[in-house]
Amino acid sequence: MELVSLANWHDPGKRRLEAVRAAHERDEAALLELLKTYLILKGRKRATLSPKTLETYEVGVRDFLAWAWPPDSPAPLVQLLKATADDLDRYVADLQTRGSHLEGQPLKPSSVATYLASVRALYRALEWAGAAQLPQGVVAPRDPTPAYERRPALPLNLYKELLAHLDPSEPALQRDRVAVRLMAEAGLRISEVVHLLVSDVHPRERLLEVKRGKGSKQRTIPLSNSLCAELERWLRTRLAYAAAGEMRVLVNMGGRKAGGRGMTARMLREVINGHYQALGFPERYRGAHMLRHTAGTRFYKASRDLHATARLLGHSNLNTSAIYAKMDLEGLFEVVDRIDEGD
């Protein structure tokens, strides 16, 4: 993460004056610059803050500003530097009933929590600048739906159908098949897949180095024999398509400008969702991250060991991995099928 210019923020006195001015004038760009500076210098992840996290925070702050001081309003509906816990509670309630103030779309409880976290980060930055205080006691509403229901894994029969659809004799489908298997069988996040370099793959050891994991954490992942062999085959195929100097494992194989360049997460997400739609998968089964959940359930089912599951997925908290024990639909089917057998 590149550090922004500190011209207005390095001196405490100037920092306060600039923060107050930005809040009084609804200078969105300056407030977002303050937020970015604070997160890089004082946030939990500091300079390792990912661009995606910053982008998410910025969306939440823009939405809050649209609520507190609509662009077409001559004056704020809520004084930005004097916002109270009651004000933030009203904002959360409005998110629950109305949704996004920028796009007017309904928000899931997890998104409401993310927006509130973004606003808290803004007020921590304003507090750091000496311009305002973070309102205390505001909590995000709990999602009544358990995490293992909100984020299902792809059932094994549908996963096999997906792999059968991805014909490895077709270069583009071979690439997509490798991407899918890296997520569903090695447990990589989509961001980890698109940032994977050829030098991160060690076929002789059957190991994969993830050097750009969440929170900049690194981990080494063992590969199954079949996945390692398929990855090796793809690396030979990509030589005919990769642009000169491109070192990422997954490359774009269409379009004049992007031909041979590394795929983006957005591009890969669209490709994978396209395959789901082509196969007519139920709406419940959408999104690339679902494949990582698929890996989590398979890791746990094979090992019944939360420590091994956490190690493979790169979780620092076992409670995160425990979700996969409850996402094992295959195991539940075995239970209900035994009832049929007993009738």
Side-chain angles (χ1 to χ4, degrees), residues 13 25 34 40 45 56 124 136 146 202 204 215 229 259 264 271 307:
E25 297 179 8
L34 169 64
I40 292 176
K45 295 182 180 178
T56 300
R124 282 196 295 270
Q136 300 294 324
H202 305 283
R204 292 184 65 183
T264 64
V271 166
H307 290 276

Side-chain angles (χ1 to χ4, degrees), residues 115-161:
Y115 278 42
L116 179 58
S118 305
V119 175
R120 285 200 190 103
L122 172 65
Y123 276 95
R124 282 196 295 270
L126 288 168
E127 194 170 65
W128 171 62
Q133 289 188 329
L134 169 66
Q136 300 294 324
V138 184
V139 296
R142 294 187 62 183
D143 191 336
T145 305
Y148 54 86
E149 287 289 346
R150 297 197 305 269
R151 300 174 290 180
L154 189 63
L156 184 57
N157 64 311
L158 293 184
Y159 180 60
K160 289 181 177 178
E161 189 177 337

Side-chain angles (χ1 to χ4, degrees), residues 55-108:
E55 180 184 340
T56 300
Y57 274 34
E58 288 179 344
V59 169
V61 168
R62 288 193 178 100
D63 185 87
F64 175 70
L65 292 177
W67 174 81
W69 191 343
D72 56 354
S73 175
L77 305 181
V78 173
Q79 293 289 339
L80 295 179
L81 298 181
K82 297 180 179 180
T84 65
D86 287 344
D87 291 324
L88 265 59
D89 280 330
R90 288 193 298 110
Y91 172 62
V92 169
D94 207 42
L95 287 174
Q96 288 182 283
T97 55
R98 174 180 169 179
S100 169
H101 301 87
L102 296 174
E103 300 176 357
Q105 295 179 348
L107 295 176
K108 296 179 181 179

Side-chain angles (χ1 to χ4, degrees), residues 29 34 46-47 55 78 84 89 133 143 147 167 176 189 195 199 218 220 230-231 235 239 243 255 295 320 327 336 341:
L34 169 64
R46 305 279 177 113
E55 180 184 340
V78 173
T84 65
D89 280 330
Q133 289 188 329
D143 191 336
D167 181 359
D176 300 347
R189 300 175 178 89
H195 287 108
S199 58
Q218 300 185 21
T220 303
E230 188 153 356
L231 185 52
L235 291 179
L239 293 174
T320 306
M327 288 173 63
V336 298
E341 293 169 5

